Amino acid sequence: MPLLAGAVLGPAVQLQQPDLWGSAAYLALGGAALVLMGVLLVRGVGARAPIERGLALLLAATLAFGLCGARAAAFASRGLDPSLEGRDLAITGTLAAMPQSNELGQRFRFTVEEASDQGRAVVLPRLLSLGWYAGEAAGGFEPQRAAPALRAGERWRFTVRLRAPHGHANPHGFDHELWLWEQGVQATGYVRAGPAHPQPLLLGATLRHPVEQARQSVRDAVFARLADRPLAGVVAALVTGDQAAIDKADWDVFRATGVAHLLSISGLHVTMFAWLAAAAVGAAWRRSTRLCLAWPAPHAALAGGLLLAAGYALFSGWGVPAQRTVLMLASVAWLRLSGRRWPWPVTWLFACAVVVTADPWALMQAGFWLSFIAVGVLFATDPGGPRPSGAQARLAALLREQAVVTVALAPLSLLMFGQVSLVGLVANLVAIPWVTLVVTPLAMAGAVMGPAWDLAAGAVQALGAGLQWMASWPFAVWAGAAPPLWAGAAGVLGGLLLSLRLPLPVRALGVPLLLPALLWQAPRPPAGEFELLAADVGQGNAIIVRTARHTLVYDTGPRFSTDTDAGQRVLVPLLRALGDGVDRLVLSHRDSDHTGGAAAVLAAHPGADLLASLEPGHPLASLRPLTSCRAGQHWEWDGVAFEILHPAMEEPAVRKANGASCVLRVSGAGGSALLAGDIEQPQERALVDRDAPLRSDLLLVPHHGSKTSSSDAFLDAVRPRWALVQAGYRNRFGHPAAPVLARYAQRGVPVRASDRCGAASWSSARPLELRCEREASGRYWRHRLPATEADGATTTP
């Protein structure tokens, strides 16, 4: 038991490191721990005193820490050379996975064989994530040739531009860099297929990646067979694991009803497939006396179910959740086949240790915790004895198990996702058997009998109608502020206590343990002060301003594609985690890098009013009554003053959107902030000439740091303590411009750019402090840029 616990504890500690040591240090530490562990094992630690058990736990954790660190250091050493970022590189290699298509082009994984920079051979990471886009979606402002229909296994030679993996860094946000790290991807980029670049050359098809080739063939066959694109996407996802094939609207319904895990190749999905496969193998095995005499049918069923589940996970893309599940199933199968009957806590911890040893970074993923805690809760609440017989008894047992998992995981879901589906219990009771016993078998059968896909689509359509109906129920989803870790852990313990077969007074103790997680309220600033959070949305503006009882959002970042934007991907989850309802949305002007996420924010917050510099016919004006920005507008929330300083004209000059930007000044008792949109030097000069109240402690740098803005007179009038630039990493506009940064540096103003800082948090109550998310929650897999003179003073963690 101490050894198993140490195998989990060691990686958990190592994952908290902000920076890696050298591989030699990790190996030396792990080697020393291994030698001392050998001494303890020879002495028989299992029968020794508790102090020796504690020492065994410490040594096992140290060994696991060293192995995890050595793996991480070795992987990091193979990363992209920073000097190669942004350069045109000629590469040759093979498509390692079936490509994903969208309206901009195609994305795919690429295995590199050789690479060169202007004829000089260079070393690149082996696995890249590349895009091939048409038009001006890539390559700066230069149009690109459209990509042909790419296929897995094809060998290509083309020119690419690469960069280190760099995602958004926001509180409670998805860690894209960790996800790529787990996938083994160490550089991202795009194909350069403009007129000035060599024509991409298809060198021919190969036999490499045969599983991916088969997956792509099946996916294409599904879409060719089924005319209904959303239904085809769900069927393709169930067969091949291509979750990108499912429409965003369908994902919203699946999440609202708590069945999203069934429509992706999740741990539960693979487990249910293993159970069905084991039942089928066992039934077939029992039909042969000779086979039963050679090997017991239960053992054959267990091994056959595991192998078939592994094959299904492999064909569905061998995603990280599926890999973890196969390892967990293999661990339990090995225990049973070897005749070991360990207590359930030891069995559970053994499976956990095996998974963490193979993939230590799983500890940072929500799916790992949801899966293992669900399994642990079911173990702990299992009454033991023979399984119930009869349909009514089995239904009652299924209902109880589903209720137990729902109650126990509710606090964890709030902690990780900021919401819980209140209809999930009912939805899963219907969806689990329907998807497992009807939809998935039909979808798999379609690979050999095409008409089965028609039946699978009909079954998906019937399920979807029921789920949409449940998703429309009032209070179908309970959203709340993300509780702190201690509250989430206490809530899981409380749910477990409520579910155990214990005396009622003992079970009632679970209620007070649940309450902190379920009723958590995120702290807000005191009256008279405000907090400002500049979200990391890439190339675009998105600011959240919070007072004691109100929340304002200034701009909503860019649209990334037709299916996703900064509102849906960043702002809505962030506001939900903070427990905030938006009172007012201010859109500085019409450019898409400021309004891209507005529709998602307005849909999630129907009570928000809209103040914007948009023309009356703008599409967003149809979603909410629009009040146009104009100088002189002001209001007060909780002792905090808000004032619009620009535009001064009655009607904004929409032909020049940047110049019509709403400029908002927010002032509290301890400090003030100026949000300047994309105004340029003529508008800055007009503000100075009007003697507008520009003096502010924090300035959102105009136009993302473009050389057309941040004039000397304007900066002298504002005199900020801090300057924030919201711009994408290696953006094609060159923001922030070097001359602009020089002007801030001349005045001793530290500049915090979102590509280095991530989300920036600032409070009027502490105007001298600014928190950068990328620094404060730094981990060694996160991309960090070297400091520059423009960074100025050090931020506070």
Side-chain angles (χ1 to χ4, degrees), residues 25 68 75-76 125 156 247 260 322 381 406 471 517 565 704 730 746 762:
C68 180
F75 182 74
W156 281 84
D247 282 358
T381 58
T406 300
D565 54 62
H704 318 285
R730 299 191 67 86
Q746 289 170 2
W762 180 85

Side-chain angles (χ1 to χ4, degrees), residues 688-742:
V688 173
D689 291 344
R690 292 204 315 267
D691 200 22
L694 297 175
R695 172 71 182 93
S696 300
D697 296 282
L698 181 141
L699 171 65
L700 178 63
V701 174
H703 201 183
H704 318 285
S706 167
K707 59 184 178 182
T708 63
S709 305
S710 297
S711 60
D712 289 310
F714 180 74
L715 295 185
D716 291 337
V718 178
R719 290 179 292 152
R721 299 177 188 267
W722 297 98
L724 294 181
V725 175
Q726 290 192 297
Y729 175 59
R730 299 191 67 86
N731 65 85
R732 63 180 184 173
F733 307 100
H735 295 160
V740 170
L741 293 177

Side-chain angles (χ1 to χ4, degrees), residues 180-515:
L180 288 175
W181 176 287
E182 271 201 294
Q183 304 292 320
V185 175
Q186 292 182 286
T188 64
Y190 55 87
V191 175
R192 298 276 281 169
H197 304 107
Q199 176 78 27
L201 180 62
L202 173 61
L203 301 177
T206 71
L207 298 178
R208 300 172 187 172
H209 311 292
V211 174
E212 289 298 318
Q213 294 187 46
R215 291 179 66 218
Q216 186 171 358
S217 296
V218 171
R219 183 188 65 179
D220 293 347
V222 171
F223 282 107
R225 175 86 190 185
L226 302 177
D228 189 306
R229 174 63 175 75
L231 293 178
V234 175
V235 174
L238 288 172
V239 180
T240 67
D242 183 14
Q243 297 184 31
I246 300 179
D247 282 358
K248 176 183 176 297
D250 289 332
W251 274 123
D252 292 340
V253 172
F254 299 152
R255 292 189 183 100
T257 52
V259 303
H261 59 97
L262 290 174
L263 281 306
S264 60
I265 309 303
S266 64
L268 177 62
H269 206 114
V270 175
T271 302
M272 295 298 288
F273 186 91
W275 176 74
L276 286 175
V281 171
W285 199 270
R286 290 183 181 92
R287 296 178 67 87
S288 171
T289 303
R290 181 177 298 177
L291 290 176
C292 289
L293 291 174
W295 203 23
H299 288 188
L302 187 60
L306 174 63
L307 290 175
L308 289 173
Y312 175 51
L314 180 65
F315 187 77
S316 64
W318 200 235
V320 174
Q323 294 177 37
R324 291 197 294 257
T325 304
V326 171
L327 282 173
M328 181 184 70
L329 293 174
S331 303
V332 176
W334 176 77
L335 289 177
R336 293 197 174 186
L337 292 175
S338 62
R340 290 172 171 82
R341 295 293 183 264
W342 292 352
W344 76 259
V346 181
T347 301
W348 178 80
L349 189 57
F350 173 71
C352 184
V354 169
V355 171
V356 170
T357 300
D359 179 17
W361 301 278
L363 289 168
M364 303 299 293
Q365 301 291 357
F368 170 86
W369 291 104
L370 290 172
S371 297
F372 270 94
I373 289 179
V375 171
V377 168
L378 291 176
F379 267 137
T381 58
D382 186 359
R387 303 300 296 173
S389 59
Q392 185 174 358
R394 289 179 180 176
L395 179 61
L398 177 63
L399 180 63
R400 181 181 180 278
E401 289 177 355
Q402 188 63 42
V404 164
V405 171
T406 300
V407 171
L409 294 187
L412 201 60
S413 297
L414 275 176
L415 175 65
M416 295 178 172
F417 307 117
Q419 65 181 29
V420 175
S421 173
L422 298 183
V423 300
L425 175 60
V426 178
N428 276 283
L429 285 174
V430 176
I432 288 177
W434 186 255
V435 172
T436 304
L437 302 177
V438 179
V439 179
T440 300
L442 288 172
M444 298 295 292
V448 292
M449 296 182 298
W453 280 333
D454 299 322
L455 298 176
V460 169
Q461 189 173 29
L463 176 65
L467 293 177
Q468 285 182 339
W469 175 61
M470 281 188 277
S472 66
W473 292 359
F475 309 109
V477 177
W478 180 15
L485 180 60
W486 67 265
V492 172
L493 179 59
L496 178 61
L497 275 177
L498 287 172
S499 307
L500 290 173
R501 297 176 180 271
L502 296 172
L504 186 59
V506 178
R507 295 168 65 184
L509 294 176
V511 174
L513 291 174
L514 274 171
L515 292 180

